[in-house]
Amino acid sequence: MKTRLLPLFVLLFLLIIPGWASAAGSSADPSVHLMIGGQAVQPDVPPMIEKGRALVPVRVIAEGLGAKVDWNPDTRTAEITRGQQALQLTVGSKNALVNGKKVQLDTPPVMRNQRMLLPLRFVGESLGVTVGWDSASRTVIANETPDIRYNGNKPAQSLKAFQSGDKLYISAQAVAEQVGKKGQAWKHPDRGITIDGELTLPLEELEAELGGRFTWNSEKNRVEIDRLAHFTGVDYDDQVVRIQTSLPVTANAFVLTGPHRIVLDLPQTEVDQDLLDKLEKGTRSDIYEGGETSVDDEEQEADVDEKQTDDDQADDDKANRHTDASQDSDDADDQSAAAEREDPEKNKQDSLVADVRYSQYSASPQTVRVVIELNNKSKYNLEYTEDGIEVKLSPVPKKTGFLIVVDAGHGGKDQGAKGVKGNIEKDFTLAVANKLVPLLKQYPEFQVEATRSTDVYLTLDERVAFANERNADLFLSIHANSFTKTTTGGTETYYYNANSKSLAEVVHRHLQAATQFQNRGVKKTGFYVIKHTTMPAVLTETGFLSNPAENAKLTSPEFQQKVAEALAAAIREYYQSYH
């Protein structure tokens, strides 16, 4: 660092800490240390604190930075130029100019003892100085801003670097996100420094924990981060897809439909050259040892996008195609293997994973895209390992008939309404639902699933997703009511979407006939579970738990059975009338 920068950095440190003025302005407070260019220094020019901001003499800035200062005593304006940067500040004015553009200052420049004092943060940042605050040691760290390159390019987001001694520290989480490791758990945070509230780690520690190569040329003040993962292969069975990479990466994952696909983008990753060589030279049986996957063609492009519509499948076919290939079998397995070979398409359709493809989706930045094509919808969970990603699949049950989702309202920590005898709504709704499900299952054309069959808590979003993900044909949510007046009672049925009105009318007619409570009618209301489900959906309020007479019936197992039978009859009538 050039000697002339010292006066600037000596003064820079006071600005960066909120609530700083009182700490710096009192001699009784703990002292503040200063580190410039990695070296501890003793400030020789005291700053001035004004309204919580540090102000420093303009001449000190000029001399420390080698800038040119023109002072106009008539307008009390200073013009500061250094390189391509030009600043103009006026005493008492919060308006300043940076390269001719107006900006607003927190604190205006002031005159003290015939010297113009300028706000430090504004001047420092405008002239390209990196400043940070280490609260643990009460140290201001200041240094020239290094030129940081990631895989030869400027980082997508700026990375702050601070010099302490002969080491350079970089914001740990920010660099982890740059290299595709979001949410990185650091093994040795104690080896870092918390600057401006963020953990920074020395380059050698970042290299040890993230892999790759982190170097700093102190003479050129340039940081080179070389960390590129290599995609080395993929294999799968019907429950897990294993993606292999040379370095850990965090995938950006999303789901597409038509067909059902799970798409994983691996940032800062490229297809390994050995794998590319095998693709060029290999055959179906020798691409991977063990024959777990094979390659149908050599094309490298997978043009899948979140906004794909009718062109989805055509674009996907540009990717490398992988299909199941049986391992070489011994004599005992010959018959089974032969049967599989006789009808490979049937085996493929019976499995959850239909196909896995990959490609070098982007070269700048380097991104590998892996597309997992499914024969059926599936939830998934990503588990990260040192050598890749495991995609754990949980298939959504296939739709085999007219699919009815029965939703017992509330549950778990959500008790719902309270009855006059201390009973709670969640118990009533579950009892009726558990009686209704077997009644509906007796019809072979019905496929019935319950959002819950035990006392568990589900969010409204989870209930809606349960039905929508399964492409249900009908959704019924069971509830009981409550009110402050014990005389209030009756049965009511709610719908929201237009496709649900007929269902609501049929359900209400059967339900009210079974309860013989006051007929409160069919109502259109935007309850979340019936508003956001895509199929015909209704919500029933069977009766009032707050009404002693109705509550006595609602808690009766015989009455609950009667309600379940009425709901089953209503759904059966609706199915026969409208489908």
Side-chain angles (χ1 to χ4, degrees):
M1 172 174 296
K2 295 181 179 179
T3 304
R4 67 172 182 268
L5 291 177
L6 286 176
L8 170 71
F9 290 129
V10 168
L11 299 170
L12 271 170
F13 70 95
L14 289 172
L15 176 66
I16 62 173
I17 312 156
W20 160 265
S22 59
S26 173
S27 60
D29 289 335
S31 59
V32 174
H33 308 286
L34 182 62
M35 184 171 291
I36 300 173
Q39 302 300 314
V41 299
Q42 196 70 30
D44 57 357
V45 177
M48 173 185 171
I49 303 300
E50 182 78 13
K51 297 181 180 179
R53 292 292 182 265
L55 304 178
V56 299
V58 63
R59 291 296 174 188
V60 173
I61 292 179
E63 294 172 2
L65 294 177
K68 178 184 178 183
V69 177
D70 291 323
W71 166 250
N72 187 327
D74 295 332
T75 60
R76 305 210 302 177
T77 298
E79 294 185 2
I80 307 171
T81 56
R82 179 176 183 261
Q84 299 299 314
Q85 295 298 104
L87 314 179
Q88 182 175 305
L89 302 96
T90 302
V91 174
S93 175
K94 288 188 176 182
N95 294 321
L97 294 178
V98 178
N99 294 331
K101 294 183 179 180
K102 184 181 292 186
V103 297
Q104 193 80 10
L105 302 174
D106 290 336
T107 303
V110 300
M111 292 295 295
R112 289 293 186 272
N113 300 324
Q114 298 183 341
R115 299 173 68 189
M116 183 182 187
L117 280 73
L118 307 181
L120 187 57
R121 177 179 291 276
F122 170 75
V123 175
E125 291 181 352
S126 297
L127 297 178
V129 175
T130 298
V131 181
W133 169 246
D134 173 11
S135 59
S137 64
R138 295 183 60 79
T139 301
V140 172
I141 301 175
N143 48 259
E144 292 270 22
T145 301
D147 178 23
I148 300 178
R149 299 285 167 158
Y150 180 63
N151 289 335
N153 302 311
K154 285 281 189 182
Q157 296 179 348
S158 61
L159 300 171
K160 285 192 174 182
F162 304 91
Q163 186 179 356
S164 179
D166 60 353
K167 294 184 178 182
L168 196 68
Y169 292 72
I170 296 182
S171 175
Q173 204 55 51
V175 76
E177 291 183 4
Q178 291 282 333
V179 303
K181 283 288 291 174
K182 294 180 180 179
Q184 171 76 10
W186 304 101
K187 299 176 182 177
H188 299 287
D190 54 300
R191 298 177 184 175
I193 303 173
T194 300
I195 301 177
D196 294 340
E198 295 185 9
L199 175 67
T200 65
L201 289 171
L203 294 185
E204 60 268 24
E205 189 64 30
L206 290 170
E207 182 176 303
E209 296 218 30
L210 295 175
R213 190 167 61 92
F214 292 67
T215 58
W216 174 43
N217 186 323
S218 58
E219 292 185 1
K220 295 182 179 180
N221 200 23
R222 181 162 180 160
V223 176
E224 296 281 357
I225 302 174
D226 297 304
R227 195 219 188 246
L228 188 64
H230 289 85
F231 172 83
T232 58
V234 60
D235 65 76
Y236 62 91
D237 53 38
D238 215 34
Q239 299 295 322
V240 182
V241 177
R242 303 170 191 84
I243 298 169
Q244 295 129 27
T245 58
S246 61
L247 291 170
V249 296
T250 302
N252 298 315
F254 56 92
V255 174
L256 296 173
T257 58
H260 305 305
R261 283 155 293 165
I262 300 170
V263 182
L264 294 92
D265 284 342
L266 311 183
Q268 304 301 337
T269 307
E270 67 179 12
V271 178
D272 189 74
Q273 186 60 48
D274 288 344
L275 184 57
L276 292 175
D277 293 342
K278 288 182 179 180
L279 292 176
E280 293 176 0
K281 301 176 182 178
T283 64
R284 291 181 58 90
S285 61
D286 64 1
I287 296 302
Y288 295 103
E289 293 183 4
E292 300 213 8
T293 59
S294 60
V295 176
D296 286 339
D297 58 63
E298 298 177 356
E299 292 182 295
Q300 298 299 309
E301 292 296 322
D303 201 6
V304 185
D305 193 86
E306 292 180 75
K307 296 182 180 179
Q308 285 177 309
T309 53
D310 295 337
D311 295 331
D312 282 347
Q313 187 59 50
D315 290 338
D316 287 344
D317 288 341
K318 295 180 182 179
N320 296 317
R321 183 167 295 278
H322 297 256
T323 56
D324 289 328
S326 301
Q327 293 185 348
D328 293 337
S329 56
D330 54 25
D331 293 340
D333 294 331
D334 280 346
Q335 185 175 358
S336 175
E340 290 181 359
R341 288 193 294 270
E342 287 175 2
D343 196 357
E345 286 303 315
K346 182 178 185 303
N347 294 330
K348 182 177 178 180
Q349 293 172 4
D350 289 343
S351 65
L352 175 60
V353 179
D355 202 7
V356 178
R357 301 182 295 279
Y358 60 83
S359 73
Q360 190 69 50
Y361 179 68
S362 170
S364 181
Q366 296 97 326
T367 304
V368 170
R369 171 163 285 183
V370 179
V371 181
I372 304 170
E373 186 174 321
L374 305 171
N375 284 318
N376 189 43
K377 287 184 178 180
S378 177
K379 296 181 178 180
Y380 68 94
N381 183 53
L382 303 182
E383 294 187 5
Y384 293 94
T385 66
E386 288 300 314
D387 56 359
I389 306 170
E390 290 190 351
V391 185
K392 302 290 184 67
L393 302 173
S394 301
V396 175
K398 288 185 178 180
K399 185 175 176 179
T400 58
F402 185 82
L403 179 54
I404 302 164
V405 172
V406 177
D407 176 46
H410 307 284
K413 65 181 181 180
D414 178 12
Q415 296 186 348
K418 291 185 178 180
V420 294
K421 295 295 185 180
N423 53 299
I424 48 181
E425 183 182 0
K426 69 173 184 176
D427 293 337
F428 166 78
T429 63
L430 183 60
V432 173
N434 284 343
K435 290 176 170 59
L436 174 59
V437 168
L439 290 173
L440 293 171
K441 283 186 174 180
Q442 66 182 324
Y443 300 104
E445 60 268 44
F446 287 172
Q447 180 184 354
V448 188
E449 291 194 43
T451 56
R452 68 182 186 98
S453 58
T454 58
D455 184 23
V456 296
Y457 172 75
L458 295 172
T459 67
L460 299 180
D461 278 328
E462 288 173 330
R463 297 169 193 267
V464 168
F466 186 95
N468 287 345
E469 288 175 354
R470 287 162 171 75
N471 193 26
D473 296 291
L474 186 150
F475 179 86
L476 174 67
S477 188
I478 302 168
H479 288 261
N481 225 328
S482 181
F483 195 62
T484 54
K485 293 182 179 180
T486 59
T487 55
T488 301
T491 297
E492 54 196 0
T493 304
Y494 292 92
Y495 77 98
Y496 181 76
N497 295 309
N499 65 349
S500 304
K501 185 177 181 180
S502 297
L503 173 62
E505 291 171 346
V506 174
V507 167
H508 183 74
R509 175 162 43 82
H510 281 266
L511 181 60
Q512 201 277 326
T515 65
Q516 292 296 301
F517 296 158
Q518 177 186 344
N519 187 348
R520 298 176 65 90
V522 174
K523 302 176 181 179
K524 180 179 179 180
T525 304
F527 290 127
Y528 193 90
V529 294
I530 57 174
K531 181 178 181 179
H532 295 282
T533 40
T534 57
M535 69 294 304
V538 299
L539 184 149
T540 62
E541 294 283 8
T542 312
F544 281 73
L545 298 170
S546 54
N547 182 307
E550 292 187 3
N551 189 65
K553 290 186 175 182
L554 292 169
T555 55
S556 163
E558 293 76 18
F559 184 83
Q560 294 166 357
Q561 181 67 29
K562 187 177 182 180
V563 168
E565 291 172 354
L567 293 173
I571 292 172
R572 182 67 178 166
E573 178 183 324
Y574 175 78
Y575 172 76
Q576 292 176 328
S577 300
Y578 295 94
H579 289 271

